[in-house]
Amino acid sequence: LLNLGHTFGHAIEAGLGFGAWLHGEAVGCGMVMAAELSHRLGLVDATFVDRLRDLVARAGLPTQGPALGADIYLALMRTDKKAEAGEIRFVVIESPGRAGVRPAPDTLVREVLARCCA
């Protein structure tokens, strides 16, 4: 659970240059992206994603990622410590209060990035 949002968040930090966003800002936004991915994987409903997005926003954290481009995000996430043989593995929400680590197809990740990045 502690790594929820970090795969997306670390890509934001690296893509913008470390220090452009605080770590907590990048991870908070990454949590929204991870929730959206969890929804697209059929694990949680849209209401859950909306609730999490609202909580992150109420904490004063960004909920929209920077427009780095999907190819850059994917390349950066392939270097994440959870990646295996070039396959990106994400901490996803399997149900409220329960998380797991699993891969996701690039097509779904691109959909998340299109929805969640300015």
Side-chain angles (χ1 to χ4, degrees):
L1 281 172
L2 290 176
N3 281 305
L4 179 68
H6 277 76
T7 302
F8 288 107
H10 288 158
I12 291 170
E13 290 177 302
L16 289 177
F18 290 95
W21 279 27
L22 297 173
H23 180 68
E25 291 172 325
V27 171
C29 184
M31 289 170 59
V32 173
M33 296 165 125
E36 181 68 30
L37 179 61
S38 300
H39 172 60
R40 291 178 187 270
L41 288 168
L43 303 171
V44 296
D45 62 22
T47 301
F48 181 91
V49 178
D50 291 342
R51 182 171 175 233
L52 189 138
R53 183 180 289 111
D54 182 57
L55 289 170
V56 170
R58 287 191 354 216
L61 300 171
T63 59
Q64 284 285 117
L68 302 174
D71 291 339
I72 291 173
Y73 271 102
L74 288 165
L76 291 169
M77 290 188 290
R78 286 193 206 297
T79 66
D80 186 84
K81 66 184 176 187
K82 290 180 296 305
E84 292 180 1
E87 181 177 66
I88 307 166
R89 294 169 46 86
F90 297 88
V91 176
V92 294
I93 304 161
E94 294 178 339
S95 63
R98 191 166 154 245
V101 179
R102 64 175 68 186
D106 283 2
T107 54
L108 282 186
V109 177
R110 286 178 183 280
E111 290 174 11
V112 168
L113 294 169
R115 167 105 166 100
C116 295
C117 295

